[in-house]
């Protein structure tokens, strides 16, 4: 069954809406929400190019679709049909675009479209029982295929992001250290020039001073 639904803007990972859940039928709900946010963060960096993907996590699977720079994600039991999960997301996507499409780019705060939860809950109920005639018909719809949608493990997906984070941090550190070394090199060069020319400048200054004093006396 469908356990969790979240919608986020791909460009910056900003959460736009969420299917609110009382948590009674989902243990460790906050843990999985944090995983979803980490996935959104990865997507905002362009680390997963697939517009449709399934990501296994414990006894559940995250399914997501990306369209119009928005990610629509749901978490279901592993036994829940993949085909139904993606058709559920298609229904969520179509309604969200219809109602909020013109405001997505200008949304400035998290969960700006929290009222969309009403539609999520209503649609979620339609997809909960896979044995209804409606859902059986959807499962038998040969025009909607999901066989080519890639399935990966959450550690693999998030691990890529962690490795890239480490590379980015190392690069930033090296850049910072190079800047420090460059500044130190400039300081050393400046000090060397001062040590080299300071005596000459002092001699010239003394000569000019003596010349000026002599001119004043005479």
């Amino acid at each position: 069954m469908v356990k969790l639904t979240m919608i986020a803007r791909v460009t910056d990972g900003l959460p736009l809406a969420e299917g609110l859940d009382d948590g009674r039928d989902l243990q460790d709900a906050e843990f999985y929400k944090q995983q979803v946010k980490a996935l959104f963060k990865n997507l905002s960096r362009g680390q997963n190019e697939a517009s449709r993907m399934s990501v296994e996590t414990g006894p559940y699977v995250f399914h997501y679709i990306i369209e119009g720079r928005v990610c629509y994600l749901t978490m279901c039991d592993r036994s829940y049909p993949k085909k139904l999960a993606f058709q559920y997301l298609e229904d969520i996507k179509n309604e969200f675009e219809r109602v909020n499409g013109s405001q997505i780019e200008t949304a400035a705060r998290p969960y700006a479209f929290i009222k969309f939860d009403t539609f999520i809950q209503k649609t979620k109920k339609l997809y909960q029982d896979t044995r209804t005639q409606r859902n059986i018909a959807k499962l038998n719809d040969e025009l909607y295929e999901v066989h080519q949608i890639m399935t990966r493990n959450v550690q693999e997906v998030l691990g890529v992001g962690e490795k890239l984070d480490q590379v980015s941090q190392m690069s930033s550190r090296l850049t910072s250290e190079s800047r420090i070394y460059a500044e130190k090199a400039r300081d050393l060069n400046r000090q060397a020039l001062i040590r080299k020319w300071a005596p000459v400048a002092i001699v010239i200054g003394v000569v000019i001073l003596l010349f000026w004093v002599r001119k004043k006396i005479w």
Side-chain angles (χ1 to χ4, degrees):
M1 63 191 305
V2 176
K3 296 289 187 180
L4 175 68
T5 305
M6 294 182 74
I7 303 171
R9 192 165 57 198
V10 174
T11 50
D12 55 7
L14 181 73
L16 300 174
E18 178 181 321
L20 297 176
D21 195 296
D22 58 15
R24 285 181 297 182
D25 63 342
L26 177 60
Q27 292 184 347
D28 300 322
E30 194 57 38
F31 169 76
Y32 291 109
K33 287 182 181 181
Q34 290 303 316
Q35 283 193 336
V36 173
K37 291 176 181 177
L39 284 172
F40 288 155
K41 186 178 179 181
N42 277 10
L43 291 171
S44 71
R45 295 170 177 166
Q47 291 173 8
N48 290 298
E49 297 180 358
S51 60
R52 282 164 168 74
M53 185 178 285
S54 297
V55 181
E56 296 175 339
T57 174
Y60 306 111
V61 182
F62 295 131
H63 302 285
Y64 74 74
I65 62 177
I66 298 174
E67 194 160 319
R69 291 187 286 186
V70 176
C71 180
Y72 305 87
L73 181 147
T74 187
M75 187 178 78
C76 308
D77 293 311
R78 285 197 182 219
S79 59
Y80 191 81
K82 188 175 184 177
K83 196 169 189 176
L84 278 185
F86 279 96
Q87 287 177 309
Y88 165 74
L89 288 175
E90 290 284 352
D91 288 353
I92 296 295
K93 173 186 72 68
N94 291 337
E95 181 66 9
F96 190 79
E97 287 180 345
R98 186 186 71 81
V99 176
N100 304 307
S102 62
Q103 305 170 63
I104 292 170
E105 290 299 322
T106 56
R109 58 185 175 83
Y111 303 105
F113 310 109
I114 196 65
K115 291 182 180 179
F116 191 71
D117 171 60
T118 303
F119 180 81
I120 292 176
Q121 296 301 331
K122 182 175 69 174
T123 308
K124 180 179 171 181
K125 288 179 181 177
L126 294 175
Y127 280 87
Q128 291 296 63
D129 188 351
T130 60
R131 298 166 297 178
T132 64
Q133 187 173 354
R134 172 186 177 279
N135 288 336
I136 290 173
K138 284 183 173 291
L139 285 170
N140 293 330
D141 183 1
E142 296 181 359
L143 296 178
Y144 195 89
E145 290 297 333
V146 294
H147 297 303
Q148 295 182 348
I149 296 177
M150 186 185 303
T151 299
R152 298 177 66 185
N153 183 273
V154 71
Q155 279 79 21
E156 180 186 0
V157 174
L158 296 183
V160 170
E162 289 171 1
K163 289 175 183 176
L164 289 177
D165 277 347
Q166 291 172 3
V167 172
S168 177
Q169 290 171 6
M170 185 179 296
S171 176
S172 298
R173 188 167 61 250
L174 289 173
T175 301
S176 178
E177 289 175 353
S178 296
R179 192 178 300 116
I180 292 170
Y181 291 149
E183 290 174 356
K184 286 183 177 179
R186 282 195 296 269
D187 288 340
L188 290 172
N189 287 335
R190 195 178 301 115
Q191 291 173 16
L193 287 173
I194 291 172
R195 284 196 298 268
K196 180 179 179 180
W197 296 107
V200 177
I202 292 171
V203 170
I204 293 174
V206 170
V207 170
I208 292 173
L209 180 61
L210 290 173
F211 180 78
W212 181 79
V213 171
R214 184 178 178 182
K215 189 176 180 181
K216 284 290 186 180
I217 295 173
W218 293 99

